Amino acid sequence: MKGPRLQRVLHPTLNEALASTSATPYQLTFVDAAEREEVLPWAEVYRRARRTAAGLARLGVRAGERVALLLPTSPGFMDAFFGALLAGAVPVPLYPPVRLGRLEEYHQATSRMLQVTTAAVVLTDARVRLLLGPSVERARPRLGCHTVEEVSRGDDSHEVRVRPDALGLIQFSSGSTVAPKPVALTHAALMAQVAALHALMPLDETSPRVGVSWLPLYHDMGLVGCLMSALNYPGSLVLIPPEAFLARPALWLRALSRHRGFISPAPNFAYGLCLKRVKDAEMAGVDLSSWVHALNGAEPVSIQTLRRFADRFEKWGFSARALRPVYGLSEASLAVTFPPASRGPRALGVDPERLAREGVVVEGSRELVSVGSPVPGFEVEVRDADGAVLPERRVGRVFARGPSLMSGYFGDEAATRRALTPEGWLDTGDLGFIDDGELYLTGRAKDVVIIRGANHAPQTFEDPLLGVEGVRVGCAVALGFVPEGETDEALLILAERSGLEAPEALEERIRAVVLAATGVRAHTVRVLEPGTLPRTSSGKLRRREALQRFQAGTLSPPKKVGMVRMAVEMAKSALAMARAEQEP
């Protein structure tokens, strides 16, 4: 299955794209939780980046070295990211600490990522640096840890010319089944990806050149799909901090209306969160009619959620035809398949038992969502365990090949050989099938739940829980496990509760809903406190780790730290730092 030919790449490198876009009138707009806005024209982004590049050169950063970024969504992130690129270095965006209750786990993960990329320096801000100490101390980057403000002081400018085949980014894979891997992407691969996205979402004379995103900039959908795409169009981009969106999802929809955004992507849970948390009163005066590309990716797509979202927000101008379930992964820079524009989501009813036992697609009650056909320049194949290409409507492992694939996992040749074939095909690790030229995903190969000899995708059991009262949206995992004293695998459901209902009653309701939807009775159901299930930096649930913690008896709620207490602790730390800086 082949996508159309990739027609034209506008710029060979990100550096040249930034220089070109700086001559346009477009801009970045940063929106805070109170809907206050700060505007940064692309011309100013370029000027500030050249100044940061000069500071990195003074510090001793050499071309090709890795610069780790631990920054929130802010102008400072732009300084650091584009400054690293203009210095000829390779930015490595990592997620900053988001909660104080699991800092030790955070430090272990962050120090590992700093070590495997051999980052020469860490760039952060004053607030985040207060919490980074152990991470940096363990990794010991050659040039230490500095704030962007410190590095950017001075009026001199610096810019290094880079080749298209030079590394332009190291982004870590989501790590939903294994530890995150450092995905190495060249400038050429990144520019091919944004060129493909441009071809899939072309502009006409009436289209507003504005995207809106609350997605984290350390994740491919936010960084490549939004920031780099805005650079390539060129156009403007409205950025909302992820934590602000999670606290008040209406900020996303209100920003789309206020700025007439035409494109905005999000994972499936975000659409569900809007259904649950956005009040009609918050939608006063909102008009969503300009939103023509409502992309849904990064996690399994629920057709029920999309239908409910379209029905709920139709009165504010939203069209179901704007919904585009998509598929991609960090190893491909981002996108692999897209459905046609303006069609709306396509669902296929399949027999879940035949799918699980035989891997064949016949008509049935379980609805799977198409994620479309290959993007320009890409090919997709579904293969069996021996590597043979399967016909349509047969489940197998998904392979992809295209111009924006990674050059490999940085510093890990063995893992690269396992992922990339000599012919340039990427083994995605995902399972799916092709029907009428479009790809349908059925799960991750390593997440399969085997019950009485049938292979079930965990989503088969998780999807029915999306609408269950008392269960947090998108906060339930289905796992296969062998109960103590038994020999056969059984079904385990772990779900976070959203209210104060007695766990026993909620567990029985979960068991009944899953049984009614799938015909499989869960052996064990555990209701957990919010925030208990382990997640990746991009918010995906880590099923394998959840099972390990369950079996070890360590799935306990994290230490709860209220926002007021967090603010007090941060204020105390900031005051201590200020006093220390004033001491002789």
Side-chain angles (χ1 to χ4, degrees), residues 278-318:
V278 174
K279 299 178 174 60
D280 283 4
E282 295 178 287
M283 297 293 290
V286 168
D287 178 5
L288 298 176
S289 59
S290 65
W291 190 10
V292 296
H293 300 292
L295 310 181
N296 184 329
E299 64 183 21
V301 178
S302 164
I303 189 64
Q304 290 80 15
T305 298
L306 296 190
R307 287 170 180 159
R308 290 172 58 215
F309 185 90
D311 290 345
R312 165 84 191 281
F313 293 102
E314 182 182 23
K315 68 172 96 172
W316 290 286
F318 183 77

Side-chain angles (χ1 to χ4, degrees), residues 318-522:
F318 183 77
S319 170
R321 294 169 57 127
L323 290 165
R324 298 182 79 176
V326 296
Y327 168 61
L329 63 168
S330 54
E331 287 86 348
S333 294
L334 181 61
V336 172
T337 62
F338 258 59
S342 303
R343 182 188 73 184
R346 171 184 287 178
L348 180 67
V350 303
D351 182 331
E353 186 172 343
R354 294 286 302 277
L355 193 75
R357 290 190 179 278
E358 304 169 39
V360 298
V361 178
V362 297
E363 187 175 346
S365 60
R366 183 189 173 198
E367 288 189 291
L368 297 177
V369 183
S370 165
V371 290
S373 303
V375 303
F378 262 81
E379 302 172 73
V380 171
E381 292 181 350
V382 174
R383 303 180 181 180
D384 65 16
D386 297 322
V389 178
L390 290 167
E392 287 202 354
R393 299 175 74 89
R394 290 292 303 274
V395 175
R397 206 166 178 118
V398 178
F399 282 73
R401 181 167 65 179
S404 67
L405 285 187
M406 66 176 182
S407 54
Y409 294 117
F410 185 82
D412 194 338
E413 293 184 7
T416 300
R417 286 195 299 270
R418 289 193 294 270
L420 291 173
T421 71
E423 299 76 29
W425 287 91
L426 171 71
D427 180 355
T428 68
D430 290 309
L431 300 175
F433 62 89
I434 295 170
D435 180 70
D436 195 22
E438 297 192 17
L439 179 65
Y440 293 76
L441 298 173
T442 60
R444 290 284 299 174
K446 294 181 180 178
D447 284 338
V448 167
V449 180
I450 304 174
I451 306 294
R452 294 189 295 276
N455 296 333
H456 299 270
Q459 292 82 17
T460 305
F461 309 109
E462 295 166 0
D463 286 351
L465 302 179
L466 289 172
V468 173
E469 188 67 28
V471 176
R472 292 185 74 202
V473 177
C475 294
V477 294
L479 305 155
F481 81 123
V482 179
E484 188 174 352
E486 300 185 23
T487 57
D488 294 330
E489 189 161 285
L491 177 62
L492 166 67
I493 303 286
L494 304 174
E496 296 179 2
R497 66 178 180 176
S498 61
L500 299 177
E501 181 179 0
E504 296 79 9
L506 185 53
E507 287 171 2
E508 281 307 308
R509 186 154 68 250
I510 290 171
R511 189 175 275 108
V513 168
V514 170
L515 178 63
T518 68
V520 176
R521 181 173 178 80

Side-chain angles (χ1 to χ4, degrees), residues 34-119:
E35 295 186 277
R36 295 184 295 259
E37 297 186 350
E38 179 181 359
V39 172
L40 197 66
W42 278 113
E44 182 68 3
V45 173
Y46 186 38
R47 186 189 71 80
R48 291 169 58 143
R50 295 200 307 273
R51 190 174 65 188
T52 304
L56 288 170
R58 282 195 307 272
L59 195 62
V61 173
R62 299 186 288 260
E65 287 194 304
R66 277 67 60 202
V67 176
L69 317 180
L70 289 112
L71 289 154
T73 298
S74 62
F77 180 94
M78 304 302 156
D79 296 345
F81 180 76
F82 290 112
L85 286 170
L86 295 186
V90 184
V92 184
L94 304 177
Y95 62 103
V98 293
R99 51 186 174 186
L100 300 183
R102 300 174 74 165
L103 271 181
E104 178 54 33
E105 179 182 321
Y106 171 82
H107 290 314
Q108 290 177 358
T110 302
S111 62
R112 173 190 167 272
M113 289 188 278
L114 293 175
Q115 289 166 346
V116 299
T117 56
T118 57

